[in-house]
Amino acid sequence: YLFFFLMILRPPRSTPSNSSAASDVYKRQIIASPGFLKNELTKKIMDMDLGVHITVDTVSTGGVSGIYELSRRDSIKEALKELEVMKAGKILDNFLYLIIKDDSMVAYGVDEVSKAVENNAVKELVVSEELIRSPDEELRRRVEEILIEADKRGAEIVIAPSSSEISKRVMGFGGIIAILRYQLKFLRETTNKQ
């Protein structure tokens, strides 16, 4: 018997297929098998010229055991990290555009993002891993509460790895940024008065 498996990273079923998150995921594929099948499949996909970046890896067995083995590999961890950086980069680019065009459509810093989450206004959120790992326990607790509440309210949350340039840029905005679903004009006024 020949056992193999193919692992293709894809967004959750709840992610609209036309979203930027979906298109990023489909451009980054991981193919693994114990035999030669992975090479043939990779060649066929590359011949179709879909603009897809493929990570190819070998596992000792197929099925669930192979998936478990693959999940511990550095190549997979690196692919997932790259995906997070790409998503964070797209959100940051949009954030920078909106902060100039209409700053009532963005929030940044722990206080502003917290208020935006409370108002169910956060659509997309990027937080620097540095903020999550802050030595300040109170700050870490607040950020964790923000992330939990934002997740409950359906916000897309991306953690920018601390080693990335994106993380450093997000730290310049207080370590956390958000793109809003709707305008919150009072956000800057409230934050500036404090």
Side-chain angles (χ1 to χ4, degrees):
Y1 296 107
L2 173 65
F3 294 98
F4 69 91
F5 74 94
L6 163 68
M7 180 176 174
I8 298 180
L9 290 176
R10 63 171 185 71
R13 294 189 199 297
S14 61
T15 303
S17 59
N18 61 350
S19 78
S20 64
S23 63
D24 287 345
V25 173
Y26 291 125
K27 291 177 185 172
R28 181 70 160 149
Q29 304 294 315
I30 300 169
I31 301 175
S33 77
F36 58 89
L37 182 64
K38 65 186 171 298
N39 298 330
E40 290 180 20
L41 185 59
T42 300
K43 184 178 178 339
K44 288 188 187 271
I45 292 172
M46 294 306 280
D47 288 345
M48 290 193 277
D49 194 29
L50 301 173
V52 175
H53 179 77
I54 299 175
T55 298
V56 181
D57 209 333
T58 302
V59 290
S60 59
T61 183
V64 175
S65 298
I67 292 172
Y68 180 69
E69 177 185 342
L70 186 63
S71 70
R72 296 179 306 203
R73 296 275 173 87
D74 287 340
S75 61
I76 301 309
K77 291 175 186 170
E78 200 57 40
L80 293 173
K81 187 175 176 182
E82 285 178 32
L83 182 61
E84 287 296 296
V85 170
M86 285 191 312
K87 286 195 295 187
K90 282 192 173 191
I91 294 170
L92 178 62
D93 288 346
N94 194 18
F95 171 86
L96 293 172
Y97 170 77
L98 287 170
I99 205 166
I100 293 168
K101 184 177 181 219
D102 182 2
D103 74 343
S104 65
M105 288 297 295
V106 298
Y108 57 91
V110 174
D111 293 336
E112 280 189 17
V113 173
S114 178
K115 287 180 181 138
V117 168
E118 288 171 16
N119 285 281
N120 199 26
V122 176
K123 177 180 161 190
E124 299 170 313
L125 184 150
V126 177
V127 61
S128 171
E129 185 180 27
E130 290 179 46
L131 193 62
I132 294 171
R133 296 179 183 219
S134 169
D136 181 345
E137 283 185 47
E138 178 62 24
L139 178 60
R140 278 197 324 266
R141 185 192 57 74
R142 278 195 72 201
V143 170
E144 184 178 334
E145 288 172 358
I146 290 169
L147 296 177
I148 289 169
E149 193 59 35
D151 184 55
K152 284 180 187 174
R153 295 173 184 244
E156 179 182 354
I157 299 171
V158 180
I159 299 172
S162 57
S163 60
S164 70
E165 183 62 32
I166 301 297
S167 178
K168 291 171 182 58
R169 293 173 68 192
V170 170
M171 284 304 292
F173 290 98
I176 188 167
I177 63 169
I179 295 176
L180 308 181
R181 293 184 174 107
Y182 55 85
Q183 292 180 326
L184 286 181
K185 293 190 184 280
F186 71 87
L187 209 55
R188 296 278 145 5
E189 296 164 9
T190 308
T191 308
N192 290 336
K193 287 179 184 175
Q194 293 178 354

